[in-house]
Amino acid sequence: MRIIVTGGAGFIGSALVRYLVLERNYEVLNIDLLTYAGNLSSLDALSDKKNYQFLQASICDRAAMESAVNEFKPDRIMHLAAESHVDRSITGAADFIQTNIVGTFTLLEAARGYWEGQEGAARENFRFLHVSTDEVYGSLGADDLFKETTAYDPSSPYSASKASSDHLAISWHRTYGLPVIISNCSNNYGPYHYPEKLIPLTILNALFEKSLPIYGKGDNVRDWLYVDDHVNALDMIVERGRPGEAYNVGGRNERANIDVVRQICQELDKLRPQSFRYETLIEFVTDRPGHDARYAIDATKLETELGWRARETFDSGILKTVQWYLDNKWWWEPLLQKYSGHRLGLIPEKPETE
Ligand code: NAD
């Protein structure tokens, strides 16, 4: 099996590439531009693997994508490359429009050109998995769940760019017949997560005894999924999902942000005790503009059609994650030179210019 993964130096992409190379023994080509979020040290475990190749290129580069796809001749493309941080999309949306929309278009066209040249089983079995987010659905009230049929209603420049790319991907199936599948997943967490996101940011700020900022009242609810459970779902969806369909992925682990931060503090109180309790570092700060109140996934389709189940509960996954950050300073310490935990995502006084 030959697989192209885009964004394989990022958080979820690197977990996926490690799994495909080490556990599945597939031939993998990882295409990643290595933006601030891409980190090859997340792939150190693959340095001597003959079934792994890396190409530094942008998914917006049409010629590079066409030659990569035509030369590697993949059975599957799993597309994860994206600008992924909501706060950064508020401060400057241009890269989100370029990579998430134009880049997805460019990759779809490269995939289509290659696929149309295939015959027989190669054409029949080819799959393009577009990896997306539950944020495309907007915000929920107290009781609903996102289903695959929920109308798109994105709130942030990030989620709007992902919604656009989902529409492009599915239209390439309906119009050209390209065997595209979409996955829409809830918030991920786990090892190798860039320290701008809530969970790793909280762990590292706590270790440095810095304040733990909580947006608004901390009552925004997210449905957390351990990254390896997402990887397992992606593997099942690309293998057995139906082209033209979307699959929601979520672990039924809803938590308010304040409870996530408190739980991390409690784990650190046990694993790295101090004279103070970590919770005393919590500080409530100005809310994120357009902050969605609640996300929660109904994963029934994935569970019944493909037999997927999340293996980690939030309790087991968060303990593993905190322990991993304690044990792997070598991975996160260099990143603090680039990002020291400062606040992102407040609306700039002057909009960015091209
Ligand atoms: P990430 O920001 O950690 O990684 C993104 C990767 O894409 C980086 O390695 C970066 O270098 C690469 N990249 C960015 N622009 C590129 C370009 N123009 N060309 C090639 N590579 C480029 O993101 P992540 O959290 O691993 O998310 C991966 C995918 O999963 C994204 O599409 C995201 O929308 C989706 N997703 C993420 C979550 C989550 O909770 N993190 C949840 C659901 C879906």
Side-chain angles (χ1 to χ4, degrees):
M1 184 65 64
R2 301 177 66 76
I3 305 192
I4 288 181
V5 175
T6 69
F11 166 48
I12 302 168
S14 66
L16 176 66
V17 169
R18 290 191 302 271
Y19 174 77
L20 295 175
V21 172
L22 299 173
E23 310 284 320
R24 301 288 261 164
N25 212 20
Y26 290 158
E27 298 287 327
V28 175
L29 171 63
N30 171 16
I31 302 178
D32 196 298
L33 182 59
L34 298 181
T35 67
Y36 81 93
N39 188 346
L40 289 180
S41 65
S42 306
L43 298 163
D44 274 1
L46 310 183
S47 54
D48 61 344
K49 297 294 164 200
K50 298 213 165 25
N51 56 331
Y52 171 68
Q53 297 172 50
F54 175 67
L55 171 67
Q56 183 173 6
S58 172
I59 56 165
C60 302
D61 181 338
R62 177 83 174 252
M65 290 308 103
E66 283 179 353
S67 70
V69 174
N70 292 328
E71 279 166 30
F72 187 76
K73 304 191 189 311
D75 301 298
R76 299 169 181 166
I77 296 177
M78 302 175 81
H79 171 38
L80 290 88
E83 287 293 333
S84 71
H85 190 32
V86 174
D87 284 342
R88 288 183 193 261
S89 81
I90 295 167
T91 322
D95 287 346
F96 290 73
I97 306 305
Q98 199 57 31
T99 289
N100 299 359
I101 305 177
V102 178
T104 298
F105 155 73
T106 307
L107 194 65
L108 283 165
E109 278 294 78
R112 180 166 79 93
Y114 163 73
W115 173 74
E116 284 176 345
Q118 304 302 303
E119 289 176 349
R123 186 181 168 98
E124 186 71 18
N125 297 331
F126 179 80
R127 295 289 180 271
F128 184 108
L129 175 62
H130 174 67
V131 177
S132 191
T133 165
D134 62 351
E135 301 195 26
V136 298
Y137 298 123
S139 190
L140 287 170
D143 302 323
D144 298 348
L145 295 173
F146 293 135
K147 300 187 190 320
E148 288 80 1
T149 49
T150 302
Y152 276 30
D153 189 19
S155 302
S156 71
Y158 164 67
S159 53
S161 69
K162 291 297 289 188
S164 307
S165 66
D166 289 13
H167 291 317
L168 288 174
I170 211 67
S171 78
W172 255 244
H173 172 72
R174 292 188 191 160
T175 303
Y176 305 110
L178 187 70
V180 171
I181 310 174
I182 297 182
S183 60
N184 295 94
C185 187
S186 61
N187 283 49
N188 283 216
Y189 68 101
Y192 302 98
H193 203 181
Y194 193 83
E196 64 189 354
K197 306 274 170 72
L198 177 67
I199 288 178
L201 181 69
T202 300
I203 297 169
L204 296 189
N205 277 347
L207 288 180
F208 286 98
E209 301 175 25
K210 291 190 192 170
S211 73
L212 307 179
I214 307 261
Y215 294 172
K217 296 188 196 133
D219 53 2
N220 304 69
V221 172
R222 299 292 180 261
D223 186 353
W224 293 95
L225 185 68
Y226 192 70
V227 64
D228 291 346
D229 280 322
H230 188 192
V231 164
N232 187 249
L234 296 178
D235 188 40
M236 283 187 177
I237 293 168
V238 78
E239 185 145 324
R240 292 190 280 117
R242 287 176 289 140
E245 295 286 321
Y247 293 84
N248 281 353
V249 188
R252 302 181 196 273
N253 275 308
E254 284 184 57
R255 290 283 188 291
N257 287 347
I258 181 70
D259 294 330
V260 168
V261 172
R262 286 202 178 114
Q263 193 162 345
I264 292 169
C265 290
Q266 285 153 16
E267 298 301 350
L268 283 169
D269 286 337
K270 286 182 247 159
L271 295 168
R272 186 65 64 89
Q274 294 285 7
S275 55
F276 60 92
R277 296 193 58 216
Y278 286 96
E279 268 191 43
T280 58
L281 299 171
I282 289 174
E283 185 192 344
F284 293 92
V285 299
T286 316
D287 206 354
R288 168 190 278 169
H291 203 177
D292 288 331
R294 176 172 167 262
Y295 303 146
I297 284 276
D298 180 351
T300 305
K301 180 174 174 182
L302 179 63
E303 290 163 350
T304 54
E305 215 176 276
L306 303 183
W308 176 84
R309 288 279 179 289
R311 292 184 189 139
E312 301 290 344
T313 62
F314 189 72
D315 291 348
S316 66
I318 201 71
L319 180 57
K320 277 188 176 181
T321 304
V322 172
Q323 188 66 58
W324 187 88
Y325 278 88
L326 290 176
D327 294 343
N328 290 281
K329 192 174 174 187
W330 69 272
W331 182 84
W332 53 258
E333 197 171 38
L335 302 179
L336 302 182
Q337 309 298 322
K338 291 193 274 181
Y339 175 66
S340 59
H342 54 275
R343 176 80 196 257
L344 298 165
L346 292 172
I347 297 172
E349 279 174 23
K350 281 191 191 161
E352 64 181 343
T353 47
E354 284 301 303

